[in-house]
Every structure is written in structure tokens, then in C-alpha cells.
Amino acid sequence: MPSVPHDLAAFLVEAKRRTYAGLDDDATVARPVLAGSKQLEHRAAPYAYRDIYFGMGFFVGQETVSRDDRVIWSMSYSGGVRAEITDRDTLLVIYKFLRQALSAIDPEEPYRGPRRFEQAGMVYRNEIEGSLDRFHGVETIARQDGAPLYELHYGGGLLR
């Protein structure tokens, strides 16, 4: 089993806060590798982070971390708002809340957001299993009354 670089978690926290969590799609590079995708990037030698995803209401994507130009870690994800949520303003409110939750990322579990985050009448939950070398989880957003709004599944780890 490969060992986790001691500074990988700190780099992931910084990269995630400087891309989607902090900037939304404004962090998108002008010419993504894959046509039709959003591509967000952050670099801090020796690491480079890239997040490529497709879609909005429902989306799929993959994050990678390279060290010295070799991909060493990856996470794939898919999810989005419930199918019956079609109003753009509602969708934007949910994703704004999601970015706030993702900005509160836990350096001990730097996959998505914290285990729980509550604000503006919504509750974010993140159920995680595993560690940085191999993990999977589910994040959800619901109204405080429990009505579900959003769900995402993710998994990944160190490549070998």
C-alpha cells in the first residue's frame, strides 16, 4: 500500500478552497481539456490539482492531484439536486450553500465538506468511510425540516 505524502491533505484543502468552493465556475480554465466540461485548477509545487466535471443540475466529475507531473491521487463524484428542482434560482441557492459547506472542509478528512454544516435553513451532511489512501462517501443537503434537496456520491484514493 502506498504511503500518503505528509502534505497531501493540506494541499487538497488549499486547492479545494481556491477552486469551486471559493470561486464557483469563475475558477474554470479558458480551454478545458475535454470539450463541454468545466475545468478548475490549482498549483503549488510540487503539486497540481485539476477538477473536471460535466453538467449542473446533475453532474459527474473527477479530481486529480499530480506530484512532479505524475497523478498520485484521484476522486470521482456524481450527483446533484433532486430531479424535481428545475428552478434556476433555487438551484443557485443550493449550490451557494454547498460552496459554503465545502469551504468548511476538514483537514483531517479533505474529500468534500465537513461531516455536518448548517446555515440558512439548510443542513449539509457528509458520511465518509476510509482514509486518504482509499475512501468513499455520500454528501446530502436537506432543508432543516428534512426535505431532501441534493445528493452526491464520491470515492477515490492514492493511485498505485
Side-chain angles (χ1 to χ4, degrees):
M1 176 180 298
S3 66
V4 177
H6 73 283
D7 53 352
L8 178 60
F11 172 76
L12 279 167
V13 169
E14 176 185 337
K16 289 171 182 257
R17 284 183 176 154
R18 291 179 183 250
T19 55
Y20 182 78
L23 298 172
D24 190 7
D25 290 332
D26 291 341
T28 302
V29 299
R31 293 177 181 241
V33 172
L34 301 172
S37 71
K38 298 286 186 178
Q39 181 174 321
L40 305 106
E41 295 184 352
H42 174 71
R43 291 180 184 356
Y47 294 112
Y49 168 87
R50 178 179 283 163
D51 179 5
I52 297 176
Y53 68 95
F54 293 87
M56 184 170 177
F58 180 82
F59 55 91
V60 297
Q62 182 176 29
E63 298 176 13
T64 58
V65 173
S66 300
R67 182 178 179 134
D68 301 321
D69 296 323
R70 191 178 129 261
V71 176
I72 62 165
W73 182 92
S74 184
M75 178 180 79
S76 58
Y77 56 87
S78 67
V81 297
R82 295 184 57 90
E84 63 270 17
I85 298 174
T86 57
D87 174 63
R88 182 169 169 77
D89 290 339
T90 302
L91 190 131
L92 293 176
V93 166
I94 293 167
Y95 285 153
K96 179 181 181 186
F97 172 74
L98 174 63
R99 286 191 308 279
Q100 291 167 335
L102 295 178
S103 292
I105 186 172
D106 181 350
E108 298 297 314
E109 297 176 320
Y111 318 110
R112 296 287 294 169
R115 292 212 175 232
R116 184 179 171 92
F117 181 85
E118 204 166 332
Q119 190 172 299
M122 288 185 269
V123 179
Y124 169 94
R125 287 187 176 84
N126 187 6
E127 298 175 16
I128 305 158
E129 289 188 34
S131 58
L132 202 51
D133 64 321
R134 184 180 288 192
F135 61 90
H136 64 275
V138 178
E139 70 179 13
T140 58
I141 296 174
R143 288 194 191 101
Q144 280 184 320
D145 66 10
L149 300 170
Y150 162 96
E151 181 174 286
L152 176 132
H153 293 254
Y154 64 90
L158 287 177
L159 304 177
R160 55 178 194 247

